[in-house]
Amino acid sequence: MSFREFEYADGKSFKFWMIDLQGTDIVTRYGRIGTNGQESKKSFASEEKARKEFDKLVKEKTRKGYVEKDDTGATETSSRSGKGAKKATETAATSSEGALSSLLFATTRDGQFESLNNFIGERVADFREGKKPPKNKTVFRVRVSYEEMDDMGGDEPDFNKRMKAFLESDAALQTRGLIIGAYDVEGGVTSKDAFVAQITKHKDRLPELKALFLGDITQEESEISWITHTDVSPVLAAFHNLEMLRIRGSSGLQFSKPMHDKLRALAIESGGLGAEVVKQVLRGHFPELEYLELWLGTPDYEGDCRVNDLQPLFKGKLFPKLKYLGLRNAQIADDIAAVIAIAPIMDQLETLDLSLGTIGDLGANALLQLGSNRTLRRLDLHYNFISKPVQKQLKKLPFPVDVSDAQIEEDEEFGRFVSVSE
Amino acid sequence: MHVDESLSLAGKTKLNKLPKRLSCYELDASKTGLQVLPDELTVECELRLDGCRKLAALPRNLQVGTLSLVGCTALTSLPEGLDVWFLDVSGCTQLTSFPRKATIAHGSLNVHSCTSLMSLPNYLTHLGTLDISGCPQIAELPPGLQISSWIEIADSGLRGLLKRMQGIGIRWRSVLIDETIAFAPHRLRATAVVKEKNAEKRRVMIERMGFDRFFKDAGAKQIHSDSDPGGQRELLRVPLQNDEDIVCLSVNCPSTGRHYLLRVPPKMRTCHQAAAWMAGFDDPKLYKPLKET
C-alpha cells in the first residue's frame, strides 16, 4: 500500500495527513480537514530508503492518535482529489444520511481544558443576544464569561436570557451541535435544572440537534468537581435524533431513565464519577452506542466505581455496536487493565482508551496479552505510570499504542495520581 | 419480586429468608441471618453476603458477576455450576473444596485465609488476579492457569509459579517482590537487603530470611551484652541506608531454652533497657523483674 490517508480530531484540532510513496519520492499532504492543505515532497537515494521512511512516518502518525481512513467508510472526504474546501467539510462531518462521523466523537485529549474551537468538525460560534449570528453556522455555544462584563459596562450577562434568545433565533433551527459553557460568571456551574427544562421545553426550536456538550468549562472558570449537573434523562427523551452527548463534571449528574434509540456517543468527563451513575449507564438501553467514554476519577472526589461494577460492560453484548471504550482518568486503571485484557468485550472494540490513569507495570503487563486480539486498532495509554522497558514491549503489539506523556511515580508513600481530580 | 436497581438488606440480622423468585441488579445481604438462598434468585451484577455466619449453602448454578462471601464461616462448599467473574471467599475458614464443575474466570479470585482449603480447581484458566495468602495447604497452582496481573502469596504453601506466569506480579501482603524472595528465601543475602531502597520490600526480605539468619549474615555488631536467667543475652545492630538501624535483643527463654531475636527501638543502649522497653517501661530503672521464666 503506497497511498494512505489519516485523520485526527479532538477539541483543539481537526486535521488530515496523507502520504504517497512514488518510487524514491515521498509526497505528504496535510492540513485542516476541509482545506487542500500543504504538500511537501522528499526524495531518497533508493526505493528501499524511501519505503523505510514511509513506514516510519506512518507509525509516528498512528502513534500520535491519527486514525486511518476506511476506504469504504462514511468518513470518505474529497480532500484527496483536492476539490472545494466546503465540500470536504460537509462530507467529513456527515455521511449520506446526515449522521455524524465517528471520528468526531473524541474531543478531549487531556485535562488542560480550553474552550472548544472545534465541535463535530466545525468551528464553534459563540451566540450573543443582540448580535446577528454568523450565516451557515450549525455549531453554537451558549455561555457567559467575565470578559464580557467589560463590554457590557460591568453588567453581568444573564445565561437564561441568552439561552432564551438563542432558542428564539433562526440559528437554533439549523443547530446540529450545541455547546453549553459557563452558566454564571461566579462559579461557572452548568446544566442546572433550569437549563435542562428550558431546552426540553423548547425542543421544537432545535429540530436538527445531533450533538450536545454540557459543560465546556475551563479549569480557570471552574474546577471540574464544582461543575454541577442534574438528571439529563429529559434531554435524552426530548431529542430523538441526538447522536452524541458529552458532559464535563459529574456532581449531581443522573440518568434516571437511561435510554435512547439513536445515541451513538456518550462521554462523561469527571474527576470522580460516582458508581451509581456508572451503573445507571450500564443498566441503560443504548442499542446504537458506538463510543463510550467514562472518566472514573478518584475516590477523593466521589469516584467510587470498582472494576466489579464494570463487569456487565466487560461481558460484551451490552452495547453490541460499541467500538470505542474509554475508561480514562481512573485511579482503578490497574484493576481495569488486569480484567479487561482477557474480557470478551475486547472482541468488539477497535479502540481501548485507558489514558490519564494510574496504570503501572503490572497493569501494562496484563495488556500485553492483547497481542492476539483481532479487532483492536488502537490502544491509548498516554499519561500513565508505565516504565520505559514495559513501554518498549507495548510498542511491539500489532497495533499502535500511545504511551506518550508517561509519568514517574516519585513518591512511594503517596503513589500515583490520575490526571484530573479536583 | 423484581428490583431494577440495587437492593440493600445489609445488617438486618433477623433476616433469615428471601422472597422466592427475587431478581435484582445488585443485592447486598451482608451480616444477615440467612442460612440458604432461594433457588430462583437472580442477581445480575453483584451478590454480597459478607459476614453471613449462618450461611450454609448457595443455590446450584448460581450465575452472577461478583460474589462476595467474606467471612461466611459456616460455609463448607460452593454450589455446583457456579458461574462468576469475581469471587471473594476470604476468611471462609470451613471451606474445604471447590465445586467439581464451575466457571470462575476473567475477574479475580480471593481465597485469603481459607485455611481448610486444600487446592485450587483445574478449571481455573484465566484470572485477572489471584489471592491465596494465608492458605498454608495450597502448594501448587492449576496447570492451565494464566494470571493477567498479580498473585498474592503471603503465608501460602505455594512453592513456585508456573513457567508461563513469568512477568506477573508476586505480592506479599501487598508488597511486590521477586521470585527469589517469594520461593527461594534461603538464597537471599543480607547485602541485598541492606541495598534495597524500598522499605516495604526490605521488611518482607527480612521476614523471609528470618531475623536470625539476617543478623548472622549481615555481621551484626554487638552494642552490649550481659546475662539473664536464660543465659547470655546480646543487643545487636545492623545499620541500614536511608532508614533507622535494625536493633534486636538476642535472648534465650529460661524455660524452653529457645533462642529469640526481638526487635527493639534503635535508641536502646543496653540489654536491660531493651528488655524493660519490651515490658512497657520507658524508664529502665523501674523495671525490676522478680523472676523471669
Side-chain angles (χ1 to χ4, degrees), chain A residues 10 18 61 77 144-145 180 189 235 243 268 292 363 371:
Chain A
D10 66 14
M18 294 182 247
K61 282 288 181 280
T77 77
V144 294
S145 68
I180 304 301
V189 290
V235 172
E243 292 183 21
I268 306 171
L292 178 63

Side-chain angles (χ1 to χ4, degrees), chain A residues 15 93 141 151 162 310 317 346 366 383 415 417:
Chain A
K15 54 197 182 183
R141 172 167 44 213
D151 304 350
R162 180 162 297 169
L310 299 167
K317 293 179 189 157
M346 291 313 302
Y383 187 105
F417 296 99

Side-chain angles (χ1 to χ4, degrees), chain B residues 10-109:
Chain B
K12 307 222 177 295
T13 45
K14 286 180 186 160
L15 179 81
N16 55 20
K17 230 183 197 173
L18 288 176
K20 269 194 174 181
R21 290 196 194 85
L22 174 65
S23 84
C24 50
Y25 188 78
E26 284 180 328
L27 172 61
D28 187 353
S30 297
K31 294 195 175 155
T32 57
L34 288 174
Q35 296 174 19
V36 288
L37 301 178
D39 283 345
E40 302 88 347
L41 178 71
T42 320
V43 182
E44 198 181 328
C45 184
E46 180 163 347
L47 175 56
R48 195 165 272 281
L49 296 161
D50 296 347
C52 291
R53 294 201 193 143
K54 292 180 183 164
L55 188 72
L58 291 155
R60 277 175 81 98
N61 301 318
L62 179 66
Q63 188 178 357
V64 62
T66 299
L67 178 59
S68 190
L69 300 164
V70 178
C72 292
T73 42
L75 204 64
T76 55
S77 68
L78 294 166
E80 284 298 324
L82 179 71
D83 186 346
V84 289
W85 278 44
F86 297 90
L87 177 63
D88 189 344
V89 287
S90 51
C92 292
T93 44
Q94 301 279 328
L95 190 69
T96 52
S97 66
F98 277 84
R100 270 172 294 127
K101 273 190 188 155
T103 307
I104 303 163
H106 299 115
S108 53
L109 174 61

Side-chain angles (χ1 to χ4, degrees), chain A residues 256 276 279 282-283 306-309 311-312 314-315 334-335 337-339 341-344 362-363 365-366 369 412, chain B residues 4-6 25-26 44-46 48 65-66 85-86 106-107 126-129 148-150 167-169 176 198-199:
Chain A
S256 68
E276 211 34 65
K279 287 176 200 169
L282 299 189
R283 281 199 296 264
R306 303 157 308 145
V307 65
N308 308 55
D309 300 320
Q311 184 265 349
F314 291 174
K315 274 196 293 191
D334 256 343
D335 297 348
V339 176
I342 48 173
L362 281 192
N365 265 323
Q369 295 174 102
E412 273 166 30
Chain B
D4 249 350
E5 302 180 8
S6 307
Y25 188 78
E26 284 180 328
E44 198 181 328
C45 184
E46 180 163 347
R48 195 165 272 281
T66 299
W85 278 44
F86 297 90
H106 299 115
H126 288 91
L127 288 173
T129 64
S148 290
S149 191
W150 53 258
I168 72 162
L176 273 180
N198 183 316

Side-chain angles (χ1 to χ4, degrees), chain B residues 252-266:
Chain B
N252 294 304
C253 173
S255 314
T256 63
R258 279 195 193 145
H259 176 243
Y260 293 93
L261 265 175
L262 306 164
R263 189 161 183 190
V264 296

Side-chain angles (χ1 to χ4, degrees), chain A residues 39-86:
Chain A
E39 198 171 272
S40 101
K41 191 169 161 177
K42 240 177 158 182
S43 299
F44 293 85
S46 68
E47 282 190 23
E48 197 197 341
K49 279 193 177 148
R51 162 62 66 181
K52 216 173 165 187
E53 179 69 10
F54 177 91
D55 291 342
K56 191 184 135 197
L57 290 171
V58 167
K59 209 168 180 186
E60 189 186 323
K61 282 288 181 280
T62 47
R63 204 171 276 163
K64 280 184 180 166
Y66 277 75
V67 178
E68 182 147 21
K69 270 179 53 175
D70 210 329
D71 273 344
T72 55
T75 59
E76 186 70 27
T77 77
S78 55
S79 327
R80 192 192 306 185
S81 50
K83 280 182 195 159
K86 195 170 164 246

